[in-house]
Amino acid sequence: MEQTSKTRIALIGIVVEDKTHINEVNELLTEYGQFIIGRMGIPYREKDLSIISIAVDAPQNVISSLSGKLGMLPGISTKTLYAQK
């Protein structure tokens, strides 16, 4: 994937309720790795889920594609928040 000149800063919040598909989550994050600024993962053992926060700097269509692909995985929920600038 090539990075174009017009990019946006966004935060993708991921909630993993079914760890069966965590390998697919990691494969997607690796595939889009060139756009990822940072990543933080929080295992919440008491609720048997994980929360992952991904900061990205990418074209709008790339952000939408990553978030959409993640959100289509069973047991995975996503929300994307965009910076104003």
Side-chain angles (χ1 to χ4, degrees):
M1 282 179 260
E2 290 186 29
Q3 190 169 4
T4 62
S5 58
K6 179 98 170 116
T7 63
R8 296 194 66 190
I9 306 296
L11 179 66
I12 302 174
I14 306 165
V15 176
V16 180
E17 295 181 87
D18 180 357
K19 295 185 179 132
T20 305
H21 299 281
I22 196 67
N23 286 337
E24 292 165 80
V25 170
N26 286 320
E27 287 171 12
L28 283 168
L29 296 179
T30 298
E31 180 182 339
Y32 288 83
Q34 74 186 78
F35 302 105
I36 295 175
I37 301 167
R39 170 182 175 167
M40 177 178 61
I42 304 168
Y44 191 5
R45 290 176 188 87
E46 291 82 9
K47 299 285 183 178
D48 194 33
L49 58 82
S50 295
I51 302 160
I52 304 170
S53 182
I54 306 293
V56 295
D57 182 0
Q60 174 74 46
N61 65 322
V62 171
I63 297 168
S64 296
S65 176
L66 174 57
S67 183
K69 288 177 182 179
L70 288 165
M72 289 190 321
L73 295 172
I76 310 296
S77 302
T78 66
K79 283 289 184 187
T80 305
L81 175 68
Y82 291 92
Q84 294 288 335
K85 296 182 180 184

